[in-house]
């Protein structure tokens, strides 16, 4: 089998725990040439000589390729790591944390535009997280924010499954009545509104609003956002009598809070 062939080619026996961990963490990234500065940012090792020495050593041993200003982790070696030394979530958590920092404000369309070229990195991590079946709050946040990036860039077909994964994780890990679960309902509703699927959007906006009213209170800015979003949906549907009182509620909260 292909896996047996890989086992004949590769062995981690000569590597120590730190070197093996590095290979597992690199398996979360795409098989591309990646600048040293980018790797230093991802792994929080800015200007860390020992980190660069570790990467160089893995190059010497044939696990990485050294490129001008960076490194490449080949796909075939990624497959070997996946199949024989599958990383635990805790081992790649540093990558999840790093990407969550990059896209934490992904509700801002400019963040989506700025990260257009980083989508291949996010896709690589998303594929690994799915393979590991990782389900926790950090993973839910990552899927939600990655969905927002696709949503803002108009790639609705890719946004929907990410939003659905985030919603499922938030429901399971945090429960139905949690602000993050409300955010998942809200974002999924926004996606359906974007494609004109108003009947699918309305119950999701209503769920988000109900959770926010209960958990955050009626005078919270997120609750105001829910009133505003639901109003916008009714306006798009031509239901102006439903929209007006919701717009007024949102305005009243914002005037009071801001």
């Amino acid at each position: 089998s292909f896996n047996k062939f890989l086992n004949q080619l590769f062995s981690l026996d000569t590597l120590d725990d730190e070197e093996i961990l590095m290979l597992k963490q690199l398996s979360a990234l795409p098989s591309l040439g990646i600048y040293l500065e980018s790797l230093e940012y991802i792994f929080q090792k800015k200007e860390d000589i020992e980190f660069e020495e570790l990467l160089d050593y893995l190059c010497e041993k044939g696990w990485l390729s050294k490129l001008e200003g960076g490194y490449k982790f080949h796909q075939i070696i990624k497959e070997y790591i996946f199949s024989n030394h599958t990383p635990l979530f805790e081992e790649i958590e540093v990558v999840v944390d790093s990407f969550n920092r990059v896209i934490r404000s992904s509700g801002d369309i400019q963040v989506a535009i700025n990260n257009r070229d980083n989508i291949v990195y996010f896709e690589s991590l998303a594929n690994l997280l799915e393979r590991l079946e990782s389900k926790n709050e950090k993973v839910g946040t990552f899927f939600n924010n990655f969905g927002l990036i696709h949503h803002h860039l108009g790639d609705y077909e890719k946004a929907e499954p990410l939003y659905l994964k985030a919603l499922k994780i938030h429901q399971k890990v945090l429960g139905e009545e949690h602000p993050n679960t409300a955010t998942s309902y809200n974002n999924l509703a926004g996606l359906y509104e974007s494609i004109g699927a108003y009947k699918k959007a309305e119950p999701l906006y209503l769920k988000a609003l109900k959770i926010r009213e209960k958990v955050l209170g009626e005078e919270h800015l997120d609750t105001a956002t829910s009133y505003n979003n639901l109003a916008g949906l009714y306006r798009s549907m031509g239901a102006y009598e439903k929209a007006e009182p919701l717009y007024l509620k949102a305005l009243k909260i914002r005037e009071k809070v801001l």
Side-chain angles (χ1 to χ4, degrees):
S1 70
F2 183 62
N3 193 40
K4 190 175 179 182
F5 171 68
L6 290 178
N7 272 311
Q8 291 172 343
L9 278 179
F10 306 113
S11 170
L12 298 181
D13 292 346
T14 60
L15 300 179
D16 65 23
D17 290 346
E18 184 186 21
E19 291 152 3
I20 293 170
L21 176 61
M22 187 77 260
L23 291 177
K24 288 181 173 184
Q25 290 173 333
L26 288 168
S27 73
L29 304 178
S31 298
L32 301 169
I34 303 175
Y35 286 116
L36 174 61
E37 290 80 2
S38 298
L39 291 170
E40 286 176 336
Y41 176 83
I42 292 167
F43 294 108
Q44 296 290 284
K45 299 285 186 181
K46 189 169 171 61
E47 296 176 1
D48 186 328
I49 299 300
E50 289 183 3
F51 178 67
E52 189 173 355
E53 287 174 350
L54 172 59
L55 295 173
D56 287 342
Y57 178 78
L58 291 171
C59 288
E60 285 173 30
K61 295 299 177 182
W63 292 100
L64 297 178
S65 297
K66 189 158 187 178
L67 309 172
E68 190 175 346
Y71 302 85
K72 182 176 180 179
F73 193 50
H74 285 283
Q75 185 64 33
I76 195 167
I77 299 178
K78 274 184 69 167
E79 285 303 321
Y80 167 74
I81 296 293
F82 283 154
S83 301
N84 298 281
H85 303 278
T86 309
L88 301 172
F89 174 78
E90 291 74 20
E91 293 174 318
I92 60 157
E93 192 170 2
V94 62
V95 182
V96 178
D97 288 342
S98 179
F99 287 0
N100 275 340
R101 278 195 304 275
V102 170
I103 57 176
R104 65 178 168 229
S105 301
S106 55
D108 179 356
I109 192 168
Q110 192 58 48
V111 173
I113 293 166
N114 292 346
N115 281 283
R116 193 189 297 268
D117 293 339
N118 291 331
I119 284 175
V120 66
Y121 290 87
F122 306 145
E123 281 177 348
S124 180
L125 177 60
N127 289 337
L128 177 55
L129 291 171
E130 279 195 65
R131 205 161 173 169
L132 298 180
E133 297 183 350
S134 300
K135 291 178 176 66
N136 58 55
E137 188 173 354
K138 288 182 178 183
V139 175
T141 297
F142 171 71
F143 282 138
N144 178 72
N145 290 344
F146 190 19
L148 274 166
I149 286 175
H150 280 306
H151 187 171
H152 283 314
L153 295 176
D155 201 343
Y156 303 135
E157 287 183 9
K158 287 186 177 178
E160 185 184 22
L162 290 165
Y163 280 156
L164 287 169
K165 282 171 196 162
L167 174 59
K168 198 172 180 181
I169 291 170
H170 287 150
Q171 286 172 323
K172 183 176 182 179
V173 176
L174 302 172
E176 187 70 16
E177 293 181 348
H178 190 280
N180 288 10
T181 307
T183 297
S184 283
Y185 281 128
N186 182 77
N187 291 345
L188 192 56
L191 175 70
Y192 291 140
E193 183 181 3
S194 297
I195 61 175
Y198 301 140
K199 287 184 179 178
K200 290 174 88 172
E202 184 185 15
L204 296 170
Y205 273 144
L206 287 167
K207 278 187 176 183
L209 174 60
K210 189 176 178 181
I211 295 166
R212 286 171 170 172
E213 284 177 330
K214 184 171 183 178
V215 177
L216 303 173
E218 287 208 15
E219 293 185 352
H220 191 282
L221 285 174
D222 286 353
T223 308
T225 297
S226 276
Y227 286 133
N228 191 75
N229 290 347
L230 193 55
L233 176 70
Y234 288 141
R235 182 183 176 189
S236 298
M237 294 168 67
Y240 302 123
E241 289 180 5
K242 283 185 170 183
E244 185 184 13
L246 293 169
Y247 273 136
L248 290 170
K249 272 190 174 183
L251 178 62
K252 191 176 179 182
I253 295 166
R254 285 171 174 163
E255 284 177 339
K256 185 171 184 178
V257 176
L258 298 174

